[in-house]
Amino acid sequence: MHEMSLMESVREIVEDAARVHAARRVAVVRVRIGALASVDPDALRFAFDVVMRGGCAEGARFEIELQPGAGWCWDCARSVVLSGNGTGCPECGGHRLEVTGGTEMRVHEIELASDEEAASCA
């Protein structure tokens, strides 16, 4: 399950941000995942709970925003939305597709806890 190693990287990003802003706790972590990123959102949610344990984001809300895949179909010469890897062109059914987006996963937003919230997380 590569979601654990992905979440380890997310933890580093979150903890670096908290350190830079002198925050004791993180309230929300939001990530964007492309439909073609080969990441299982359920496995990522599980990994979040495990990997964030004992850190400044333990107990934080974890939100995932799914982004559609995008591609160029060489058969019908159109930009198309792709729902997943290995799917054909939704316009013509062709399979000569060049992926142009939706393969990424990135931390989109980190919401730091207020001082009152931080004190209650002790």
Side-chain angles (χ1 to χ4, degrees):
M1 173 165 51
H2 75 286
E3 284 79 4
M4 282 292 198
S5 61
L6 290 172
M7 195 50 64
E8 290 286 348
S9 296
V10 170
R11 181 179 173 145
E12 287 179 31
I13 292 166
V14 168
E15 289 184 349
D16 286 348
R19 196 171 14 263
V20 164
H21 295 285
R24 292 175 40 202
R25 305 293 291 167
V26 172
V28 182
V29 177
R30 292 182 182 93
V31 297
R32 286 186 176 163
I33 302 173
L36 308 176
S38 298
V39 175
D40 179 351
D42 290 332
L44 202 62
R45 285 184 187 90
F46 172 79
F48 181 83
D49 291 337
V50 171
V51 171
M52 297 302 168
R53 202 170 293 146
C56 66
E58 181 175 5
R61 195 168 69 240
F62 183 58
E63 298 177 359
I64 297 173
E65 181 181 326
L66 297 174
Q67 300 287 296
W72 175 259
C73 178
W74 289 99
D75 292 331
C76 67
R78 293 184 182 164
S79 290
V80 295
V81 174
L82 301 173
S83 60
N85 291 313
T87 61
C89 174
E91 298 293 325
C92 72
H95 285 278
R96 293 187 329 130
L97 297 165
E98 182 177 332
V99 173
T100 59
T103 60
E104 56 281 323
M105 177 188 141
R106 61 183 47 157
V107 176
H108 172 64
E109 191 172 22
I110 301 167
E111 196 174 304
L112 304 175
S114 68
D115 288 337
E116 296 81 31
E117 291 172 312
S120 68
C121 291

